[in-house]
Amino acid sequence: MRSATLRFADSALTSHVEHDVVEYAERSAGSERTRYRVVGSQECLKEAGQLAEECADVVAAASRIGTRERMGLLRELASLGPGIYGRVEDVYGATATVDDRERTGMGTMARRNVIVTTVRDGVRRTRAVSGSPDELDVRGLALAGKPLPQHEGPLPTQVVLEPLALAELLAEYASVGLAVQDPHTAREFHRRCMGQQVAAAGVDITDTPAALGGWTLDIEGTPAAPLSLLRDGRITGYATDHRGAAALGQISNGRAARSVDGLRAYPAALTLECPPTTAPIGPYLRIERVQYISVVSAETGTVTGSTRDYCSVVENGAPRANVGTVRFTISVPDLLRRITGGLGPARTVPVTWGGCVVRCPAVHCADLRLVP
């Protein structure tokens, strides 16, 4: 895998770093043990031989094309004016599965994340988009927020979560609530979760790596076909690796984790769909971004975190007051059950960990109380 990150500040280039990473999994015949290694590219070429060399050629060729595109994108971002900060992240990779040193399957991935923060009059506002490097449109990412009076009193319980905020919460929940992490408790996990109503009727969630530029083979070489996780609000599936699936008498669905501590498997290309709705007329809390998300309880899907950047109280379609950082603890299933519908078109946005992306609209949640 080759990753490249271009950072810019005030529309000027500040750094451009590229590096190679190789992830290597090996399973002996008749053994349930999987060994993961992350090594430098040169060391890997010595150990993995011709296969790794072929993969490196694929990745390097794609990355050379991507460098020119990144520079062109920087010029486009520079035209947006001063006060623009952010980064462009490109990831290209190839995964192969091998039996007796013969290649039996290969999958690739190519994804670009663009994150733009606009700072005007001391107000920070961030937008992001993720997708195919040759298809992204960054126009509209630079949105300025205006200074507002500070909100006083209790927060509205009508809440609109923009895609960047919903994506972080959903990815954290899916990694523990929609994935088998412990083969020894896999059957109990299946009994407790399968068919459980964890979202409002009409909410569907699928994991579709190929559609969102993700890995079409996981680190164990298993194909990652589209996976239905929620249908009409009920759990219909979950991510597994080889060991977790074997404990259930199933075949892995190709979600083995890639170098994420504490996770054996997780869905990394989530799409949330729900019926459309209209924004509430009365005051509501609009959360555009969250940070520091951490799982409190895997069994209940409870996470803790805080709001970030431009969080505001909106009334009659216009922001009326600024809301400072709000620290909260919330059950993500409870949040999902309160969704009344989506607002506007779906957007594909990056998540800050694990190479995850989420495609979703902004959603309205009724009677959602953020608990400190």
Side-chain angles (χ1 to χ4, degrees):
M1 177 177 67
R2 167 160 287 185
S3 64
T5 302
L6 178 153
R7 296 181 183 274
F8 54 92
D10 266 336
S11 303
L13 177 68
T14 58
S15 68
H16 187 198
V17 178
E18 300 188 19
H19 68 279
D20 297 322
V21 174
V22 174
E23 299 165 298
Y24 177 73
E26 182 179 59
R27 188 171 63 246
S28 302
S31 171
E32 294 297 326
R33 299 185 64 184
T34 303
R35 179 168 60 95
Y36 293 94
R37 303 183 65 192
V38 180
V39 295
S41 57
Q42 293 302 315
E43 188 177 344
C44 174
L45 290 176
K46 295 178 183 178
E47 295 197 9
Q50 185 63 32
L51 172 64
E53 191 170 14
E54 291 175 7
C55 291
D57 289 344
V58 171
V59 176
S63 183
R64 283 193 295 271
I65 298 171
T67 300
R68 293 195 296 270
E69 293 176 340
R70 281 189 295 278
M71 292 306 177
L73 184 58
L74 178 63
R75 288 193 292 271
E76 186 173 354
L77 292 168
S79 69
L80 299 177
I84 307 297
Y85 301 80
R87 62 185 183 272
V88 180
E89 302 170 336
D90 283 355
V91 181
Y92 304 88
T95 297
T97 180
V98 178
D99 183 16
D100 295 330
R101 307 300 292 177
E102 296 294 330
R103 191 173 70 192
T104 59
M106 175 172 283
T108 60
M109 72 93 71
R111 179 184 287 153
R112 168 170 290 169
N113 299 327
V114 183
I115 302 171
V116 175
T117 297
T118 305
V119 182
R120 302 273 169 80
D121 299 322
V123 179
R124 295 172 57 89
R125 196 173 190 186
T126 299
R127 281 289 187 272
V129 65
S130 179
S132 172
D134 57 356
E135 295 177 356
L136 285 191
D137 183 359
V138 300
R139 292 187 297 272
L141 288 184
L143 294 179
K146 62 180 181 180
L148 299 169
Q150 195 70 18
H151 176 73
E152 296 181 358
L155 295 174
T157 59
Q158 304 296 313
V159 177
V160 169
L161 290 164
E162 293 287 339
L164 265 181
L166 179 60
E168 294 283 352
L169 295 166
L170 188 59
E172 286 287 349
Y173 166 65
S175 70
V176 294
L178 300 174
V180 175
Q181 301 301 344
D182 184 356
H184 301 293
T185 59
R187 292 189 180 277
E188 172 60 23
F189 177 90
H190 173 86
R191 184 197 65 77
R192 185 179 73 248
C193 295
M194 201 64 173
Q196 182 182 5
Q197 188 85 35
V198 295
V203 174
D204 298 338
I205 299 178
T206 56
D207 185 62
T208 53
L212 299 184
W215 294 100
T216 53
L217 293 180
D218 71 0
I219 186 62
E220 295 177 331
T222 306
L227 174 64
S228 173
L229 298 169
L230 266 66
R231 181 65 53 85
D232 204 25
R234 293 185 180 275
I235 295 179
T236 53
Y238 36 74
T240 60
D241 66 346
H242 174 79
R243 288 189 63 196
L248 291 164
Q250 301 174 1
I251 298 174
S252 169
N253 52 38
R255 268 68 184 181
R258 293 177 178 269
S259 308
V260 179
D261 292 341
L263 298 182
R264 294 194 58 87
Y266 63 91
L270 299 169
T271 297
L272 182 146
E273 298 177 296
C274 60
T277 190
T278 56
I281 297 176
Y284 65 88
L285 179 65
R286 181 170 63 194
I287 302 174
E288 295 191 355
R289 194 179 182 196
V290 297
Q291 63 178 340
Y292 304 131
I293 301 298
S294 179
V295 176
V296 175
S297 169
E299 186 168 339
T300 63
T302 300
V303 301
T304 185
S306 64
T307 60
R308 185 176 183 181
D309 291 356
Y310 198 61
C311 183
S312 57
V313 173
V314 179
E315 190 169 4
N316 294 322
R320 301 299 185 191
N322 174 67
V323 177
T325 299
V326 178
R327 299 188 180 278
F328 60 85
T329 299
I330 194 168
S331 162
V332 177
D334 183 56
L335 180 155
L336 296 175
R337 284 190 288 265
R338 296 177 186 275
I339 290 178
T340 66
L343 300 167
R347 294 182 15 230
T348 305
V349 296
V351 175
T352 54
W353 63 273
C356 299
V357 297
V358 175
R359 181 167 181 77
C360 62
V363 297
H364 168 242
C365 299
D367 195 24
L368 181 66
R369 300 176 186 274
L370 294 185
V371 180

